[in-house]
Amino acid sequence: MTATIALVDDDRNILTSVSIALQAEGFVTRVYSDGETALKALIENPPDLAIFDIKMPRMDGLELLRRLREKQATPVIFLTSKDDELDEALGLAMGADDYIAKPFSQRLLIARIRAILRRTELAQAGPAGDEESVGGELERGRLTMDTARHRVTWGGANVTLTVTEFLILETLAQRPGIVKTRNQLMDAAYQDDIYVDDRTIDSHIKRVRRKFRQIDPEFDAIETLYGAGYRFSEE
């Protein structure tokens, strides 16, 4: 079945370009220029996934997500022109599924959409509903990763990661003790030869550590090797 994607952004150029790109990939799109207009439509006729700009007039993306989550659990990706960790932290805490900063690659956005839709499909199927989930767990000390459903726990407590953060952590945890360079982590998290600079990977690592330390203040399983990269240390 063709997935329907709702786009909410006050920038009409972004609405048009992203909508065209998604339609070329076989998605059905609905576009809204502000959160207030979008809210009623999203509740009455939920899409398979929604993409929100954070900074919008009338109702911003954070408020739109908060009010949407009172009614339903449609997957949401945030777009923002600001590299604002506070906005990201609030959005993810409220139930957003991923966060992509403007300017962004449309190929990256499409890859994230497909990953989230697949994760949602597997979660709805349940353990007995998808044979691919069998043997899909990665266990490293206190860390457990369900690689089919993108679920993560640390000592039994759930850790909410974006798709990008999950892919970076999975790459590190697959081979504990082995140093992964920033380029290797970029290749794992950003496909189709999409370029990101070293600081982007460093920022993701910082955010992953912060999320684990909210659960376990002593978390130190991701080690930095200055000038080389990062490695996962299995307890």
Side-chain angles (χ1 to χ4, degrees):
M1 182 180 296
T2 301
T4 298
I5 312 297
L7 308 172
V8 189
D9 198 312
D10 61 327
D11 186 329
R12 292 194 177 275
N13 290 329
I14 288 180
L15 285 180
T16 300
S17 62
V18 173
S19 181
I20 290 172
L22 292 179
Q23 290 171 17
E25 293 293 320
F27 295 106
V28 173
T29 61
R30 304 178 196 148
V31 299
Y32 308 94
S33 59
D34 67 83
E36 195 170 279
T37 302
L39 180 62
K40 186 173 184 291
L42 295 176
I43 291 174
E44 292 181 350
N45 189 13
D48 295 290
L49 182 144
I51 301 170
F52 298 166
D53 186 24
I54 287 185
K55 305 299 182 184
M56 294 186 292
R58 299 179 66 185
M59 181 187 297
D60 66 21
L62 292 172
E63 177 64 12
L64 175 58
L65 177 62
R66 186 189 69 78
R67 295 178 63 175
L68 184 66
R69 283 290 175 263
E70 293 175 351
K71 303 291 185 181
Q72 46 151 288
T74 298
V76 170
I77 296 175
F78 269 135
L79 300 179
T80 181
S81 57
K82 293 176 62 179
D83 186 15
D84 191 326
E85 292 188 8
L86 177 59
D87 280 349
E88 177 185 8
L90 284 172
L92 296 176
M94 292 163 60
D97 295 84
D98 212 339
Y99 179 100
I100 299 177
K102 301 176 184 178
F104 57 89
S105 160
Q106 291 184 352
R107 288 182 298 166
L108 173 61
L109 178 60
I110 290 167
R112 291 294 172 265
I113 289 170
R114 294 194 186 282
I116 292 170
L117 290 175
R118 179 61 174 159
R119 182 179 65 185
T120 303
E121 177 186 342
L122 289 171
Q124 291 173 344
D130 197 304
E131 295 181 358
E132 292 182 26
S133 67
V134 176
E137 282 198 353
L138 176 67
E139 295 186 4
R140 297 289 185 265
R142 301 180 65 191
L143 175 71
T144 300
M145 304 184 73
D146 183 333
T147 56
R149 291 176 172 80
H150 284 206
R151 293 175 181 165
V152 179
T153 63
W154 180 258
N158 290 324
V159 183
T160 301
L161 301 181
T162 68
V163 173
T164 305
E165 291 164 352
F166 185 96
L167 293 172
I168 290 172
L169 179 60
E170 180 185 23
T171 302
L172 292 170
Q174 283 174 339
R175 301 189 66 188
I178 302 299
V179 177
K180 294 291 185 178
T181 67
R182 290 173 177 82
N183 284 337
Q184 288 173 318
L185 296 176
M186 287 178 198
D187 290 342
Y190 296 90
Q191 302 173 1
D192 297 324
D193 298 323
I194 295 167
Y195 174 77
V196 295
D197 63 32
D198 290 354
R199 291 174 297 176
T200 301
I201 296 299
D202 294 340
S203 294
H204 285 306
I205 293 289
K206 177 182 177 182
R207 291 165 184 166
V208 170
R209 284 174 172 153
R210 183 172 64 236
K211 290 178 180 182
F212 276 88
R213 286 172 181 162
Q214 289 174 346
I215 295 169
D216 176 8
E218 304 300 318
F219 175 83
D220 61 356
I222 300 177
E223 300 178 354
T224 302
L225 283 85
Y226 293 98
Y230 297 95
R231 70 182 174 195
F232 185 86
S233 177
E234 186 174 6
E235 294 183 343

